[in-house]
Amino acid sequence: MSTTEAVIRPETPADGRRIEALLDHAFGPGRFVKVSERVREFARFRPDLSFCAEADGEVVGLVRLWDIHIGQTPALFLGPLAVHSGRRLDGLGGRLVEHAGAVADARGEGPILLVGDPPFFERFGYAAPPTAGVRLPGPVDPRRVLVRGASQPLSGPVRP
């Protein structure tokens, strides 16, 4: 894998095949059974808030955002976040998370919910306590349900 600096740019429909290859590489077939995949089955994809990282003509990273509601609160759902294994130590995942969050904030979007690794995402302002009342469409470790940008505790089912 090249060490050329990755450029973060908007995802385009032409990236589809390369994105699927990256997701297969990063997560394997197990990605289809995760609760996050259940959310993405009903959420509305936001291509305007989804970004690829490209280096040497290859998609080496991806972050996607989706429209959801948490109870009555409009929100975004982050995922997947994927980085090619050869690029995982250069901060690319964090750059993608920060970039997507900054664009969402600039557009006045609501809170961003995700299911992920607390030590990684807490660095970017995500926290579990405001999500105690959030109900996802399947079993999930509540410590991994994180949000940023919530002005108050969230509660209710995650829905379209």
Side-chain angles (χ1 to χ4, degrees):
M1 177 75 20
S2 168
T3 57
T4 301
E5 182 70 20
V7 174
I8 297 175
R9 61 165 177 76
E11 178 182 335
T12 70
D15 295 317
R17 180 188 55 75
R18 296 184 304 162
I19 287 170
E20 286 303 311
L22 174 64
L23 294 173
D24 287 344
H25 170 81
F27 300 112
R31 70 184 164 114
F32 295 108
V33 300
K34 295 182 177 191
V35 71
S36 295
E37 190 66 25
R38 303 291 72 80
V39 173
R40 290 188 290 269
E41 287 173 353
F42 63 72
R44 185 175 69 88
F45 177 54
R46 291 289 302 268
D48 60 317
L49 294 174
S50 297
F51 303 93
C52 290
E54 186 173 331
D56 297 326
E58 294 297 320
V59 173
V60 296
L62 169 74
V63 63
R64 286 178 164 171
L65 290 171
W66 308 75
D67 280 328
I68 60 168
H69 285 82
I70 303 166
Q72 298 302 311
T73 304
L76 296 169
F77 187 76
L78 187 149
L81 169 66
V83 174
H84 189 281
S85 61
R87 303 297 295 240
R88 289 195 181 136
L89 298 179
D90 66 6
L92 183 55
R95 285 179 49 217
L96 284 161
V97 168
E98 288 181 317
H99 184 81
V103 173
D105 290 348
R107 294 185 183 177
E109 299 288 344
I112 302 175
L113 182 76
L114 61 81
V115 177
D117 185 40
F120 178 81
F121 287 102
E122 286 170 350
R123 297 180 290 160
F124 308 107
Y126 288 84
T131 68
V134 173
R135 294 189 315 275
L136 286 153
V140 63
D141 180 345
R143 295 171 297 188
R144 295 178 53 82
V145 180
L146 308 170
V147 71
R148 75 180 266 289
S151 59
Q152 60 190 15
L154 299 167
S155 71
V158 173
R159 60 179 188 78

